[in-house]
Amino acid sequence: MATESTPTADDTAADAVADAADLSSDEDSEIRLRGVTKRFDDLVAVDDLDLTIRNGELLVLLGPSGCGKSTTLRMIAGLEVPSEGSIEIGGEEVTETLPQKRDLSMVFQSYALYPHKTVRGNLAFPLGKMDVDDEEADERIRRTAELLEIDDLLDNKPGQLSGGQRQRVALGRTIVREPKAFLMDEPLSNLDAKLRVQTRSEVRSLQQRLGTTTVYVTHDQEEAMSLADRIAVMNDGELQQVGTPKEVYENPVNEFVAGFLGEPSMNFLDPDRLTRSDADDSVARTGSDGSVVGTASDDPFAETATVGVRPEDVGIAEEEVTTAEEAGQRADGGQAYEIDGEVLVVEPLGNAYEIEVDCGDDRVTARLRDRPGAVSPGSTVTLRLPADAVHRFGANGEVIG
Amino acid sequence: MSTKQSTYRHVVDSFKTALGLGESTLETSLAERVVFYVALGLTLLITLFPFYYMALASLLPESSLYSLPPTLIPQDLTLEHYRTVFGPETFPFLTYFKNSFVIATTTAGASVLVATFGAYSFARLDYRGRGVISRGVLMVYMFSGILLVVPMFQVIVWLGFVDSLASLFVTYLVQTLPVSLYMLGNYFRSIPEEIEEAAIMDGYSRLEVIFKITLPLSAPAIVAVFFFTFMIAWNEYLFASIFLQSQSVFTLPIGIEALSSSFRQVWGQIMAASLLTSVPLIVMFTYLEKFMVEGLTFGAVEG
């Protein structure tokens, strides 16, 4: 499932898989939060949050621990009541509706399986409160178990299952309900790294097949990037940015978002330490593609307090000065800034090299595909930062331009 | 694996290792093992000797009971004391047994019922004054029983329960509830809240969640509370000796005491009656123990 999740893509995918289609819901289940605030005594956990989760999309709430993302999810679930603001699900006001009446299902970080019930009992439990007869219930359990490949575990108790299997049962318990929306609170954080990546793609394809609106909470930016239709980045109870993974990665609105997404994270530098490369000057004046960064006389960093550049955009300037012609052939069009520094560490990662460079007050991490010959710990290098890969941030941390 | 279970395993394993019985390859020196065996032997001696002597005295004929030095290895044994105890003319054992059983069962049942709801509210529900109430209840337990005899007696008189088993029911319930609440409350708190929230998300009301999820998971604690209350009510002497007057409502401890107040030397009979009194508790414990040890929350959450 590599396709973007649009409603039409969901429909066709769902048609293709009959079982999944039977379990999917097609009622309107847009979740809308308006000015939602949650206070615990003096602590403001969520501050005036406006957010819409569109019908059928998978929205990831991303942020560091304590940023209010779990509280937001719990307010959608009804396990917490907002101090202010309103929540609507499918056009219906549910701000103070009991969680039992919201027709949502939730996967908890710890799975929260019922340990005294078998897997079948766990899957059957939510159906016990619904208007389904035994035959239909059995059928739903069978379909869900097949979908998640846990049909041979139905008579086991949770204690006999591995972490990954428990995870599946927890997912199954949410799916079997056919609820309006899935809420997932860091569902993969207890799995080991390999299983986490595998389950992640399964969750993604499952959600796309079912086409059920999903709110997914995580602190893992990589998980968020790979799963989400849209990501909502939160910090200190406030929403920072909402957008597709590509949008928030490429056009972060502030330093926080820029630094939180990406591994290794973005390098932040004092703009005064950067010098323009010669190639930059010459090309900037000619303006090959019309996107003139600026001429030598007008300072592009006039308002800028910090510049950010992602490790994969950092290059190393060659010893022999390239000709203007060669510079023009570079992917970045030759407009670039340079900074000198001393190499601290060179880490081979197999498919790339990560180089840490000490540039005075700042440390810069560069991720290079090939190891440049001259680079070894202790040597001095000139780092090359392509102009269009440089993000500029004002004194308040907001992006400029 | 739940912490409780693993702690239990760990303790068992370390004892096995220390005694050289475990499969663990961890070496224990002879000196270490000697220390453990000596400690174990002392513990067993101190706890089991009184019990052994009770059993022995109940089987010895009157003559050897009062010999000096005391008989520790029996020469000749007799069942005469047991015959006397079961003979209705000196000791209506069955009436006492029935009284004790009725009072212990009803108190334990009521204690479990009341403590379940009380402890759940202490552990899970949020309301004003919860901390004060939950700690205040435990304070009651800090008072020595004898301090409460007079006020309790006034309450019993006021309720019109003097010389009836109802007086003991009320007293024992009040006496045991603090500990029951404490034990159950702690156990409820150890059940991950997420399990209950999951059930709420699955559409069940708070009350349904308690009965379908929390209580089944708390079986070990509930059994422990039942047994604890049963044992207190079964063995209690002080209040029973004050509130009860007629032989028809006597419980076993009072009955045994009444036996000794006669002018004859009756140690053999008292020991026989005492042994018979302990047997139900021992039987009950061996049966209930397996429920208490089983860690039912195992596997609920990742661990």
Side-chain angles (χ1 to χ4, degrees):
Chain A
M1 289 274 168
T3 50
E4 276 289 319
S5 172
T6 61
T8 45
D10 279 346
D11 289 345
T12 40
D15 285 341
V17 187
D19 273 358
D22 287 344
L23 289 165
S24 74
S25 70
D26 34 48
E27 52 190 323
D28 174 38
S29 56
E30 183 180 84
I31 301 170
R32 194 182 282 271
L33 289 84
R34 283 205 186 92
V36 170
T37 297
K38 177 68 184 178
R39 279 182 226 97
F40 295 106
D41 298 323
D42 291 337
L43 180 88
V44 181
V46 177
D47 193 3
D48 195 21
L49 180 74
D50 286 293
L51 182 64
T52 303
I53 297 110
R54 296 177 196 144
N55 199 14
E57 83 170 336
L58 193 160
L59 181 124
V60 172
L61 284 172
L62 175 69
S65 53
C67 74
K69 55 192 192 304
S70 283
T71 309
T72 306
L73 191 77
R74 289 171 61 83
M75 285 192 287
I76 298 173
L79 295 170
E80 305 279 355
V81 178
S83 313
E84 276 165 41
S86 72
I87 299 173
E88 278 173 27
I89 299 172
E92 218 176 300
E93 156 91 37
V94 296
T95 316
E96 299 202 1
T97 309
L98 286 173
Q100 293 92 334
K101 311 273 181 221
R102 295 194 188 194
D103 192 19
L104 305 173
S105 69
M106 186 155 167
V107 181
F108 292 83
Q109 183 176 1
S110 62
Y111 316 145
L113 300 178
Y114 310 123
H116 57 305
K117 292 178 185 291
T118 58
V119 170
R120 186 189 303 279
N122 268 278
L123 294 179
F125 195 66
L127 298 175
K129 268 300 194 187
M130 295 171 66
D131 192 18
V132 289
D133 55 36
D134 289 354
E135 214 170 297
E136 156 107 40
D138 284 347
E139 177 59 20
R140 281 207 202 182
I141 292 168
R142 188 191 61 77
R143 276 204 313 253
T144 307
E146 271 175 23
L147 198 65
L148 291 165
E149 293 162 25
I150 49 172
D151 31 353
D152 50 339
L153 303 172
L154 282 175
D155 296 319
N156 292 14
K157 293 226 171 133
Q160 299 165 296
L161 307 181
S162 71
Q165 290 169 332
R166 287 181 206 173
Q167 226 299 320
R168 282 161 187 275
V169 177
L171 275 176
R173 198 173 59 186
T174 41
I175 292 170
V176 78
R177 285 257 312 273
E178 304 176 21
K180 276 189 188 154
F182 299 145
L183 308 177
M184 304 194 181
D185 191 359
E186 311 224 8
L188 306 182
S189 61
N190 283 334
L191 299 178
D192 61 57
K194 200 173 169 195
L195 200 54
R196 186 157 58 222
V197 172
Q198 186 193 333
T199 316
R200 185 167 80 196
S201 60
E202 283 173 11
V203 168
R204 181 68 181 131
S205 86
L206 193 68
Q207 193 271 338
Q208 288 187 340
R209 275 196 278 171
L210 299 176
T212 309
T213 312
T214 304
V215 188
Y216 187 107
V217 164
T218 184
H219 62 269
D220 180 344
Q221 53 88 24
E222 188 190 319
E223 196 171 297
M225 298 286 285
S226 67
L227 273 172
D229 289 317
R230 290 194 305 149
I231 296 178
V233 185
M234 290 183 75
N235 187 33
D236 280 343
E238 285 175 26
L239 186 63
Q240 306 288 317
Q241 185 173 6
V242 189
T244 62
K246 197 169 147 66
E247 276 164 22
V248 289
Y249 187 78
E250 290 180 357
N251 303 307
V253 297
N254 59 31
E255 259 186 86
F256 175 80
V257 176
F260 197 76
L261 287 152
E263 173 59 41
S265 60
M266 188 183 269
N267 299 298
F268 293 107
L269 294 161
D270 181 349
D272 298 339
R273 306 184 66 85
L274 301 182
T275 52
R276 273 200 215 199
S277 69
D278 294 339
D280 173 32
D281 266 351
S282 59
V283 179
R285 288 194 189 106
T286 37
S288 59
D289 58 348
S291 65
V292 180
V293 175
T295 57
S297 56
D298 100 80
D299 183 6
F301 297 140
E303 305 279 299
T304 309
T306 313
V307 295
V309 58
R310 296 209 177 272
E312 63 267 29
D313 293 329
V314 178
I316 292 195
E318 304 297 327
E319 280 294 317
E320 317 84 55
V321 177
T322 50
T323 61
E325 222 176 320
E326 274 180 51
Q329 287 161 357
R330 287 173 191 255
D332 54 50
Q335 305 163 25
Y337 302 99
E338 288 183 347
I339 185 168
D340 293 333
E342 188 192 333
V343 177
L344 294 172
V345 189
V346 180
E347 276 183 71
L349 300 175
N351 57 354
Y353 287 89
E354 221 168 273
I355 297 164
E356 205 168 314
V357 182
D358 182 5
C359 303
D361 296 337
D362 304 301
R363 282 195 177 183
V364 176
T365 307
R367 179 175 279 218
L368 304 171
R369 200 159 306 157
D370 305 304
R371 179 177 188 155
V375 173
S376 58
S379 65
T380 308
V381 291
T382 303
L383 297 177
R384 195 183 141 81
L385 319 175
D388 54 6
V390 170
H391 302 261
R392 294 173 295 159
F393 301 101
N396 58 359
E398 301 293 316
V399 78
I400 296 171
Chain B
M1 181 179 289
S2 73
T3 354
K4 244 185 88 181
Q5 184 119 349
S6 64
T7 321
Y8 173 74
R9 286 252 172 86
H10 178 74
V11 170
V12 170
D13 284 348
S14 41
F15 270 102
K16 275 188 180 167
T17 312
L19 298 173
L21 305 169
E23 298 145 21
S24 167
T25 50
L26 201 71
E27 286 293 320
T28 43
S29 69
L30 183 69
E32 279 178 312
R33 256 177 285 165
V34 166
V35 168
F36 270 99
Y37 276 118
V38 168
L40 189 68
L42 268 176
T43 315
L44 286 178
L45 185 73
I46 291 167
T47 45
L48 290 184
F49 180 77
F51 198 81
Y52 168 74
Y53 199 72
M54 173 171 76
L56 183 70
S58 73
L59 293 168
L60 285 177
E62 293 282 318
S63 54
S64 31
L65 255 178
Y66 300 109
S67 64
L68 265 176
T71 326
L72 288 182
I73 318 290
Q75 300 300 323
D76 45 15
L77 296 172
T78 169
L79 283 174
E80 185 203 334
H81 303 309
Y82 288 91
R83 244 174 259 124
T84 325
V85 163
F86 280 115
E89 64 275 13
T90 41
F91 190 64
F93 181 82
L94 287 178
T95 312
Y96 298 164
F97 187 94
K98 195 198 81 196
N99 287 341
S100 270
F101 189 79
V102 166
I103 189 68
T105 317
T106 50
T107 311
S111 187
V112 163
L113 195 72
V114 177
T116 298
F117 289 102
Y120 189 85
S121 96
F122 289 164
R124 285 283 194 264
L125 307 182
D126 206 13
Y127 50 88
R128 196 178 285 272
R130 178 179 72 167
V132 176
I133 299 172
S134 61
R135 276 180 218 109
V137 165
L138 206 56
M139 287 275 288
V140 175
Y141 198 67
M142 309 288 160
F143 289 101
S144 138
I146 196 81
L147 282 178
L148 295 175
V149 165
V150 174
M152 276 307 291
F153 193 75
Q154 288 198 308
V155 174
I156 295 303
V157 170
W158 177 71
L159 288 170
F161 285 168
V162 182
D163 200 20
S164 77
L165 288 178
S167 70
L168 297 187
F169 174 78
V170 173
T171 316
Y172 297 165
L173 195 58
V174 171
Q175 285 268 296
T176 55
L177 260 182
V179 173
S180 304
L181 284 165
Y182 186 73
M183 282 167 71
L184 266 181
N186 278 348
Y187 201 88
F188 287 158
R189 267 183 279 265
S190 78
I191 295 176
E193 214 163 345
E194 290 191 338
I195 294 185
E196 290 182 17
E197 283 173 353
I200 285 176
M201 291 304 293
D202 281 347
Y204 290 83
S205 72
R206 181 68 82 166
L207 216 55
E208 286 171 320
V209 173
I210 294 179
F211 281 107
K212 285 180 192 282
I213 305 293
T214 316
L215 291 189
L217 291 181
S218 308
I222 289 172
V223 169
V225 162
F226 184 89
F227 185 70
F228 161 79
T229 316
F230 189 94
M231 197 175 66
I232 297 273
W234 185 265
N235 288 333
E236 206 277 338
Y237 169 78
L238 178 68
F239 289 101
S241 73
I242 291 162
F243 296 163
L244 303 180
Q245 282 143 24
S246 15
Q247 216 185 29
S248 64
V249 291
F250 276 7
T251 55
L252 278 168
I254 309 304
I256 293 170
E257 197 252 350
L259 203 61
S260 74
S261 61
S262 62
F263 56 88
R264 288 195 313 121
Q265 299 289 5
V266 287
W267 284 114
Q269 290 162 31
I270 290 177
M271 287 305 124
S274 300
L275 192 75
L276 289 171
T277 306
S278 337
V279 165
L281 287 183
I282 296 168
V283 171
M284 197 168 161
F285 183 78
T286 20
Y287 176 71
L288 292 180
E289 194 199 7
K290 66 169 183 276
F291 295 104
M292 288 191 250
V293 177
E294 250 171 47
L296 272 171
T297 42
F298 175 54
V301 292
E302 212 282 332

